[in-house]
Structures are given as C-alpha cells and as structure tokens.
Amino acid sequence: MANAVSGTAVQDECKLKFLELKAKRNYRFIIFKIDGQEVVVEKLGSPEENYDNFTNSLPHDECRYAVFDFDFTTNENIQKSKIFFIAWSPESSTVRMKMVYASSKDRFKRELDGIQVELQATEPSEMSLDLIKSRAY
C-alpha cells in the first residue's frame, strides 16, 4: 500500500484491477471509493456494460474516483480505446468528503499508470458521452 499525502492509502487491489482493465480489458469501468483511510474498489463493470451503466453506478450525493475504458472509431475508421480517469464530486456531497477526495486525487491517480484523459465532474453534464467523445479524439 502506498500512503498518499492526505494520509489515504491505496489498496493493492485498486492497482491490480486497473492493470487488468488496461492490459486484459476484463472490465469496462472501475469505481473506487475512500473507505476510512484507504481507497478501495467499489464496483467493477463488465466489458459488456456501456457508458450509461457506468454513470448510473455513480452515487448522486457522494464523491468517487473512476476509470472508464472508452472504445471509439477514428475518422480514418481505426478502432481505438482511451482510458479516462474521472473525479466525481457532486455538489450534494459534504464539504469534508469533497476535501478528502480532492486532496487524495493526484496521489491516487499516479498509482494508476496508463490514464490518458482526466475529467473532473460535479454534475452529469460535465461528463456526458458527447464530452467523453470530444476528449477522446
């Protein structure tokens, strides 16, 4: 486990599951939460799940970190994939929760080697599928 500056540790399972998403494509998405003093895996999305399944898995009133493996086809008709890191911090979450997630984010993100795009979202429109598509190209 690695200790973050904020005192929040990262469970090894977080890194292992991320490597499986990146290398083996075992998951479409992973949702992480801070439980006590450590970041843990909350939910694994199967490869068959889509972006709506992912966004519906995020709580409306609590912060989360997430990674999403976005598949797309370029204008040249080439299949590609980009791994997004999303810091979900809804307005309705508590100030303390927002502060803990914000102070731990950079350190946690460094543990996940291979993230290509980062988004910060406080409401669903800030991470819409159209926005994901525009950031992927």
Coordinates of all heavy atoms in Angstrom, one line a residue, residues 52-120:
D52 N -23.7 4.4 -20.1 CA -24.9 4.6 -19.2 C -24.9 3.8 -17.9 O -25.2 4.3 -16.9 CB -26.2 4.4 -20.0 CG -26.6 5.5 -21.0 OD1 -26.1 6.6 -20.8 OD2 -27.3 5.2 -21.9
N53 N -24.5 2.5 -18.1 CA -24.3 1.7 -16.9 C -23.3 2.3 -15.9 O -23.5 2.3 -14.7 CB -23.8 0.3 -17.3 CG -24.7 -0.5 -18.2 OD1 -24.3 -1.0 -19.2 ND2 -26.0 -0.5 -17.9
F54 N -22.2 2.8 -16.5 CA -21.2 3.4 -15.7 C -21.8 4.7 -14.9 O -21.6 4.7 -13.7 CB -20.0 3.8 -16.6 CG -19.1 4.8 -15.9 CD1 -18.3 4.4 -14.8 CD2 -18.9 6.1 -16.4 CE1 -17.5 5.3 -14.2 CE2 -18.1 7.0 -15.8 CZ -17.3 6.6 -14.7
T55 N -22.3 5.6 -15.6 CA -22.8 6.8 -15.0 C -23.9 6.5 -14.0 O -24.0 7.2 -12.9 CB -23.3 7.9 -16.0 OG1 -24.3 7.3 -16.8 CG2 -22.1 8.4 -16.8
N56 N -24.8 5.5 -14.2 CA -25.8 5.2 -13.3 C -25.3 4.5 -12.1 O -26.0 4.4 -11.1 CB -26.8 4.3 -14.0 CG -27.7 5.0 -15.0 OD1 -27.9 6.2 -14.9 ND2 -28.1 4.3 -16.0
S57 N -24.0 4.0 -12.1 CA -23.4 3.4 -10.9 C -22.8 4.4 -10.0 O -22.4 4.0 -8.8 CB -22.3 2.4 -11.4 OG -22.8 1.4 -12.2
L58 N -22.7 5.6 -10.4 CA -22.1 6.7 -9.5 C -23.2 7.2 -8.6 O -24.3 7.5 -9.0 CB -21.5 7.8 -10.3 CG -20.3 7.5 -11.2 CD1 -20.0 8.6 -12.1 CD2 -19.1 7.2 -10.3
P59 N -22.9 7.3 -7.3 CA -23.9 7.9 -6.3 C -24.1 9.3 -6.6 O -23.3 10.1 -7.1 CB -23.2 7.7 -5.0 CG -21.8 7.6 -5.2 CD -21.6 7.0 -6.6
H60 N -25.4 9.8 -6.3 CA -25.8 11.2 -6.6 C -25.2 12.1 -5.5 O -25.2 13.3 -5.8 CB -27.3 11.3 -6.7 CG -27.9 10.4 -7.7 ND1 -27.7 10.7 -9.1 CD2 -28.6 9.3 -7.7 CE1 -28.3 9.8 -9.8 NE2 -28.8 8.9 -9.0
D61 N -24.9 11.6 -4.4 CA -24.5 12.5 -3.3 C -23.2 12.2 -2.6 O -22.9 12.6 -1.5 CB -25.6 12.5 -2.2 CG -25.9 11.2 -1.7 OD1 -25.4 10.2 -2.2 OD2 -26.7 11.1 -0.7
E62 N -22.3 11.4 -3.2 CA -21.0 11.0 -2.7 C -20.0 11.1 -3.8 O -20.2 10.8 -4.9 CB -21.1 9.6 -2.1 CG -21.9 9.5 -0.8 CD -21.8 8.1 -0.2 OE1 -21.0 7.3 -0.7 OE2 -22.6 7.8 0.7
C63 N -18.8 11.5 -3.4 CA -17.6 11.5 -4.3 C -17.1 10.1 -4.6 O -17.3 9.2 -3.8 CB -16.5 12.3 -3.7 SG -16.9 14.0 -3.3
R64 N -16.5 10.0 -5.8 CA -15.9 8.7 -6.2 C -14.8 9.1 -7.2 O -14.8 10.1 -7.8 CB -16.9 7.8 -6.9 CG -18.0 7.2 -6.0 CD -17.4 6.2 -5.0 NE -18.5 5.6 -4.2 CZ -19.0 6.1 -3.1 NH1 -18.6 7.2 -2.6 NH2 -19.9 5.4 -2.5
Y65 N -13.9 8.1 -7.3 CA -12.9 8.1 -8.4 C -13.4 7.0 -9.3 O -13.9 6.0 -8.9 CB -11.5 7.8 -8.0 CG -10.9 8.7 -6.9 CD1 -10.4 8.2 -5.8 CD2 -10.8 10.1 -7.1 CE1 -9.8 9.0 -4.8 CE2 -10.3 10.9 -6.2 CZ -9.8 10.4 -5.0 OH -9.2 11.2 -4.0
A66 N -13.1 7.2 -10.6 CA -13.5 6.1 -11.6 C -12.6 6.1 -12.8 O -12.0 7.2 -13.1 CB -14.9 6.3 -12.0
V67 N -12.4 4.9 -13.4 CA -11.8 4.9 -14.7 C -12.7 4.2 -15.6 O -13.5 3.3 -15.2 CB -10.4 4.1 -14.6 CG1 -9.4 4.9 -13.9 CG2 -10.6 2.7 -14.0
F68 N -12.7 4.7 -16.9 CA -13.6 4.1 -17.9 C -12.8 3.9 -19.2 O -12.1 4.8 -19.6 CB -14.8 5.1 -18.2 CG -15.8 4.6 -19.1 CD1 -16.8 3.8 -18.7 CD2 -15.7 4.9 -20.5 CE1 -17.7 3.2 -19.6 CE2 -16.6 4.4 -21.4 CZ -17.7 3.5 -20.9
D69 N -12.9 2.7 -19.7 CA -12.2 2.4 -20.9 C -13.2 2.6 -22.1 O -14.2 1.9 -22.3 CB -11.9 0.9 -20.9 CG -11.0 0.4 -22.1 OD1 -10.6 1.3 -22.8 OD2 -10.7 -0.8 -22.2
F70 N -12.9 3.7 -22.8 CA -13.8 4.2 -23.9 C -13.3 3.7 -25.3 O -12.2 4.1 -25.7 CB -13.9 5.7 -23.9 CG -14.8 6.3 -24.9 CD1 -16.2 6.0 -24.9 CD2 -14.3 7.1 -25.9 CE1 -17.0 6.5 -25.9 CE2 -15.1 7.6 -26.9 CZ -16.5 7.3 -26.9
D71 N -14.1 2.9 -25.9 CA -13.8 2.4 -27.3 C -14.4 3.4 -28.3 O -15.6 3.8 -28.1 CB -14.3 1.0 -27.5 CG -13.6 0.0 -26.7 OD1 -12.4 0.1 -26.4 OD2 -14.3 -1.0 -26.3
F72 N -13.7 3.6 -29.4 CA -14.2 4.5 -30.4 C -13.5 4.2 -31.8 O -12.5 3.6 -31.8 CB -14.1 6.0 -30.1 CG -12.7 6.5 -29.9 CD1 -12.0 7.2 -30.9 CD2 -12.0 6.2 -28.7 CE1 -10.7 7.6 -30.8 CE2 -10.7 6.7 -28.6 CZ -10.1 7.4 -29.6
T73 N -14.1 4.7 -32.8 CA -13.6 4.6 -34.1 C -13.2 5.9 -34.7 O -14.0 6.9 -34.6 CB -14.6 3.9 -35.1 OG1 -15.0 2.7 -34.5 CG2 -14.0 3.6 -36.5
T74 N -12.0 6.1 -35.1 CA -11.5 7.4 -35.6 C -12.1 7.7 -37.0 O -12.7 6.8 -37.6 CB -10.0 7.4 -35.8 OG1 -9.6 6.5 -36.8 CG2 -9.3 7.0 -34.5
N75 N -11.9 8.9 -37.4 CA -12.4 9.3 -38.7 C -11.8 8.5 -39.9 O -12.3 8.4 -40.9 CB -12.1 10.8 -39.0 CG -12.9 11.7 -38.0 OD1 -14.0 11.3 -37.5 ND2 -12.4 12.9 -37.8
E76 N -10.6 7.9 -39.6 CA -9.9 7.1 -40.5 C -10.4 5.6 -40.4 O -9.7 4.7 -41.0 CB -8.4 7.2 -40.3 CG -7.8 8.5 -40.6 CD -8.0 9.5 -39.4 OE1 -8.0 9.0 -38.3 OE2 -8.1 10.7 -39.7
N77 N -11.4 5.4 -39.6 CA -12.0 4.1 -39.4 C -11.1 3.1 -38.7 O -11.0 1.9 -39.0 CB -12.5 3.5 -40.8 CG -13.6 2.5 -40.6 OD1 -14.4 2.7 -39.6 ND2 -13.7 1.5 -41.4
I78 N -10.3 3.6 -37.7 CA -9.4 2.8 -36.9 C -10.0 2.7 -35.5 O -10.4 3.7 -34.9 CB -8.0 3.5 -36.8 CG1 -7.4 3.6 -38.2 CG2 -7.1 2.7 -35.9 CD1 -6.2 4.5 -38.3
Q79 N -10.1 1.4 -35.0 CA -10.6 1.2 -33.7 C -9.5 1.6 -32.7 O -8.4 1.2 -32.8 CB -10.8 -0.3 -33.5 CG -12.1 -0.8 -34.2 CD -13.4 -0.3 -33.6 OE1 -14.1 0.4 -34.2 NE2 -13.6 -0.6 -32.3
K80 N -10.0 2.4 -31.7 CA -9.1 2.9 -30.6 C -9.8 2.8 -29.3 O -11.0 2.6 -29.2 CB -8.6 4.3 -30.9 CG -7.6 4.4 -32.0 CD -6.9 5.7 -31.9 CE -5.6 5.7 -32.7 NZ -4.8 6.9 -32.4
S81 N -9.0 3.0 -28.3 CA -9.5 3.0 -26.9 C -8.7 4.0 -26.1 O -7.5 4.2 -26.3 CB -9.4 1.6 -26.3 OG -9.3 1.6 -25.0
K82 N -9.4 4.7 -25.2 CA -8.7 5.6 -24.3 C -9.2 5.4 -22.9 O -10.4 5.1 -22.7 CB -9.0 7.1 -24.7 CG -8.3 7.5 -25.9 CD -7.5 8.8 -25.7 CE -6.6 9.1 -26.9 NZ -6.8 10.4 -27.4
I83 N -8.3 5.4 -21.9 CA -8.7 5.2 -20.5 C -8.9 6.6 -19.9 O -7.9 7.4 -19.8 CB -7.7 4.4 -19.8 CG1 -7.6 3.0 -20.4 CG2 -8.0 4.3 -18.3 CD1 -6.5 2.1 -19.9
F84 N -10.1 6.9 -19.4 CA -10.4 8.1 -18.7 C -10.4 7.9 -17.2 O -10.8 6.9 -16.7 CB -11.9 8.5 -19.1 CG -12.0 9.2 -20.4 CD1 -11.9 8.4 -21.6 CD2 -12.2 10.5 -20.5 CE1 -12.1 9.0 -22.8 CE2 -12.3 11.1 -21.8 CZ -12.3 10.4 -22.9
F85 N -9.8 8.9 -16.5 CA -9.9 9.0 -15.1 C -10.9 10.1 -14.8 O -10.8 11.2 -15.3 CB -8.6 9.4 -14.5 CG -8.6 9.5 -13.0 CD1 -8.4 8.4 -12.1 CD2 -8.8 10.8 -12.4 CE1 -8.5 8.6 -10.8 CE2 -8.9 10.9 -11.0 CZ -8.7 9.8 -10.2
I86 N -11.9 9.8 -14.0 CA -13.0 10.7 -13.7 C -13.0 10.9 -12.2 O -13.2 10.0 -11.4 CB -14.3 10.3 -14.2 CG1 -14.3 10.2 -15.7 CG2 -15.4 11.2 -13.8 CD1 -15.4 9.5 -16.4
A87 N -12.9 12.2 -11.7 CA -13.0 12.5 -10.3 C -14.5 13.1 -10.2 O -14.8 14.1 -10.7 CB -12.0 13.6 -9.9
W88 N -15.3 12.3 -9.6 CA -16.8 12.6 -9.4 C -16.9 13.2 -8.1 O -16.7 12.6 -7.0 CB -17.6 11.3 -9.6 CG -19.0 11.4 -9.3 CD1 -19.7 10.8 -8.3 CD2 -20.0 12.2 -10.0 NE1 -21.0 11.1 -8.3 CE2 -21.3 12.0 -9.3 CE3 -19.9 13.1 -11.0 CZ2 -22.4 12.6 -9.8 CZ3 -21.1 13.7 -11.5 CH2 -22.3 13.5 -10.8
S89 N -17.4 14.5 -8.1 CA -17.5 15.2 -6.8 C -18.8 16.1 -6.9 O -18.8 17.3 -7.1 CB -16.3 16.2 -6.7 OG -16.4 16.8 -5.4
P90 N -20.0 15.4 -6.7 CA -21.2 16.1 -6.9 C -21.4 17.2 -5.9 O -21.0 17.1 -4.7 CB -22.3 15.0 -6.7 CG -21.6 13.9 -6.0 CD -20.1 14.0 -6.3
E91 N -22.1 18.2 -6.3 CA -22.4 19.4 -5.4 C -23.1 19.0 -4.1 O -22.8 19.6 -3.1 CB -23.3 20.4 -6.1 CG -22.6 21.1 -7.3 CD -21.5 22.0 -6.9 OE1 -21.5 22.6 -5.8 OE2 -20.6 22.2 -7.7
S92 N -23.9 17.9 -4.1 CA -24.6 17.5 -3.0 C -23.8 16.7 -1.9 O -24.3 16.4 -0.9 CB -25.9 16.7 -3.4 OG -25.4 15.6 -4.2
S93 N -22.6 16.4 -2.3 CA -21.7 15.7 -1.3 C -21.2 16.7 -0.2 O -21.2 17.9 -0.4 CB -20.6 15.0 -2.0 OG -19.8 15.9 -2.7
T94 N -20.8 16.1 0.9 CA -20.4 17.0 2.0 C -19.1 17.7 1.7 O -18.3 17.2 0.9 CB -20.2 16.2 3.3 OG1 -19.1 15.3 3.2 CG2 -21.5 15.5 3.7
V95 N -18.9 18.9 2.3 CA -17.6 19.6 2.1 C -16.4 18.8 2.5 O -15.4 18.7 1.8 CB -17.7 20.9 2.9 CG1 -16.3 21.6 2.8 CG2 -18.7 21.9 2.3
R96 N -16.5 18.1 3.6 CA -15.4 17.2 4.1 C -15.1 16.2 3.1 O -13.9 15.9 2.8 CB -15.8 16.6 5.5 CG -14.7 15.6 5.9 CD -14.8 15.3 7.4 NE -14.0 14.2 7.8 CZ -12.7 14.1 7.7 NH1 -12.0 15.0 7.1 NH2 -12.1 13.0 8.1
M97 N -16.1 15.5 2.5 CA -15.9 14.4 1.6 C -15.2 15.0 0.3 O -14.2 14.4 -0.2 CB -17.2 13.8 1.2 CG -17.0 12.7 0.1 SD -18.6 11.8 -0.3 CE -18.7 10.7 1.1
K98 N -15.6 16.2 -0.2 CA -15.0 16.8 -1.3 C -13.5 17.1 -1.0 O -12.7 16.9 -1.9 CB -15.7 18.1 -1.7 CG -17.1 17.9 -2.3 CD -17.7 19.2 -2.6 CE -19.2 19.1 -2.6 NZ -19.9 20.4 -2.8
M99 N -13.3 17.6 0.2 CA -11.9 17.9 0.5 C -11.0 16.7 0.6 O -9.9 16.7 0.1 CB -11.8 18.7 1.9 CG -12.4 20.1 1.8 SD -12.5 20.9 3.4 CE -10.8 20.9 3.9
V100 N -11.5 15.6 1.2 CA -10.7 14.4 1.2 C -10.4 13.8 -0.1 O -9.3 13.4 -0.5 CB -11.4 13.3 2.1 CG1 -10.8 11.9 2.0 CG2 -11.5 13.8 3.6
Y101 N -11.4 13.8 -1.0 CA -11.2 13.3 -2.4 C -10.3 14.2 -3.2 O -9.4 13.7 -3.9 CB -12.5 13.1 -3.1 CG -13.2 11.7 -2.8 CD1 -13.9 11.5 -1.6 CD2 -13.1 10.7 -3.7 CE1 -14.4 10.3 -1.3 CE2 -13.7 9.4 -3.5 CZ -14.3 9.2 -2.3 OH -14.9 8.0 -2.0
A102 N -10.4 15.5 -3.0 CA -9.6 16.4 -3.8 C -8.1 16.3 -3.3 O -7.2 16.3 -4.1 CB -10.1 17.8 -3.6
S103 N -7.9 16.1 -2.0 CA -6.5 16.1 -1.5 C -5.8 14.8 -1.8 O -4.6 14.7 -1.8 CB -6.5 16.4 0.0 OG -7.1 15.4 0.7
S104 N -6.6 13.7 -2.1 CA -6.0 12.4 -2.4 C -5.9 12.1 -3.9 O -5.3 11.1 -4.2 CB -6.9 11.3 -1.7 OG -7.0 11.6 -0.3
K105 N -6.6 12.9 -4.7 CA -6.7 12.5 -6.1 C -5.4 12.4 -6.9 O -5.2 11.4 -7.5 CB -7.6 13.6 -6.8 CG -7.8 13.3 -8.3 CD -8.5 14.4 -9.0 CE -7.6 15.5 -9.2 NZ -7.9 16.5 -10.1
D106 N -4.5 13.3 -6.8 CA -3.3 13.3 -7.6 C -2.4 12.1 -7.2 O -1.9 11.4 -8.1 CB -2.5 14.6 -7.5 CG -3.2 15.7 -8.2 OD1 -4.0 15.4 -9.1 OD2 -2.9 16.9 -7.9
R107 N -2.3 11.8 -5.9 CA -1.5 10.7 -5.5 C -2.1 9.4 -5.9 O -1.4 8.5 -6.4 CB -1.4 10.7 -3.9 CG -0.6 9.6 -3.4 CD 0.9 9.7 -3.7 NE 1.6 8.7 -3.0 CZ 2.3 7.8 -3.6 NH1 2.3 7.7 -4.9 NH2 2.9 6.9 -2.9
F108 N -3.5 9.3 -5.8 CA -4.1 8.0 -6.3 C -4.0 7.9 -7.8 O -3.7 6.8 -8.3 CB -5.6 8.1 -5.9 CG -6.4 6.9 -6.4 CD1 -6.0 5.6 -6.1 CD2 -7.4 7.1 -7.3 CE1 -6.7 4.5 -6.6 CE2 -8.1 6.0 -7.8 CZ -7.8 4.7 -7.4
K109 N -4.2 8.9 -8.5 CA -4.1 8.9 -10.0 C -2.7 8.4 -10.4 O -2.5 7.7 -11.4 CB -4.4 10.3 -10.6 CG -4.8 10.2 -12.0 CD -5.2 11.6 -12.5 CE -3.9 12.4 -12.7 NZ -4.1 13.6 -13.3
R110 N -1.6 8.8 -9.7 CA -0.3 8.4 -10.0 C -0.1 6.9 -9.9 O 0.8 6.3 -10.5 CB 0.8 9.2 -9.2 CG 1.0 10.5 -9.7 CD 2.3 11.1 -9.1 NE 2.2 11.3 -7.7 CZ 1.8 12.4 -7.0 NH1 1.3 13.4 -7.7 NH2 1.8 12.4 -5.7
E111 N -0.9 6.3 -9.0 CA -0.8 4.8 -8.8 C -1.3 4.1 -10.0 O -1.0 2.9 -10.2 CB -1.6 4.4 -7.6 CG -1.1 5.0 -6.3 CD 0.2 4.4 -5.8 OE1 0.5 3.2 -6.1 OE2 0.9 5.0 -5.0
L112 N -2.1 4.7 -10.8 CA -2.8 4.1 -12.0 C -2.0 4.5 -13.3 O -2.4 5.5 -13.9 CB -4.3 4.5 -12.1 CG -5.1 4.3 -10.8 CD1 -6.5 4.7 -11.0 CD2 -5.0 2.8 -10.3
D113 N -1.0 3.8 -13.6 CA -0.2 4.1 -14.8 C -0.9 3.7 -16.1 O -1.2 2.6 -16.3 CB 1.2 3.4 -14.6 CG 2.1 3.8 -15.7 OD1 2.1 5.0 -16.1 OD2 2.8 3.0 -16.3
G114 N -1.2 4.7 -16.9 CA -1.8 4.5 -18.2 C -3.1 5.3 -18.4 O -3.7 5.1 -19.4
I115 N -3.4 6.2 -17.5 CA -4.5 7.0 -17.7 C -4.2 8.0 -18.8 O -3.1 8.6 -18.8 CB -4.9 7.8 -16.4 CG1 -5.5 6.7 -15.4 CG2 -5.9 8.9 -16.7 CD1 -5.7 7.3 -14.0
Q116 N -5.1 8.2 -19.8 CA -4.9 9.1 -20.9 C -5.6 10.4 -20.9 O -5.2 11.4 -21.4 CB -5.2 8.3 -22.2 CG -4.3 7.1 -22.4 CD -4.9 6.0 -23.3 OE1 -6.0 5.5 -23.0 NE2 -4.2 5.7 -24.3
V117 N -6.8 10.4 -20.2 CA -7.6 11.6 -20.2 C -8.1 11.7 -18.7 O -8.6 10.8 -18.2 CB -8.8 11.6 -21.2 CG1 -9.5 12.9 -21.1 CG2 -8.3 11.3 -22.6
E118 N -8.1 13.0 -18.2 CA -8.7 13.2 -16.9 C -9.9 14.2 -17.0 O -9.8 15.1 -17.7 CB -7.7 13.8 -15.9 CG -8.2 14.0 -14.5 CD -7.2 14.7 -13.6 OE1 -6.0 14.7 -13.9 OE2 -7.7 15.1 -12.5
L119 N -10.9 13.8 -16.2 CA -12.1 14.7 -16.1 C -12.4 14.9 -14.7 O -12.3 14.0 -13.9 CB -13.3 14.1 -16.8 CG -13.4 14.0 -18.3 CD1 -14.7 13.3 -18.7 CD2 -13.4 15.4 -18.9
Q120 N -12.9 16.1 -14.4 CA -13.4 16.4 -13.0 C -14.9 16.8 -13.3 O -15.2 17.6 -14.1 CB -12.7 17.6 -12.4 CG -13.2 18.1 -11.1 CD -12.3 17.7 -10.0 OE1 -11.2 17.4 -10.2 NE2 -12.9 17.6 -8.8

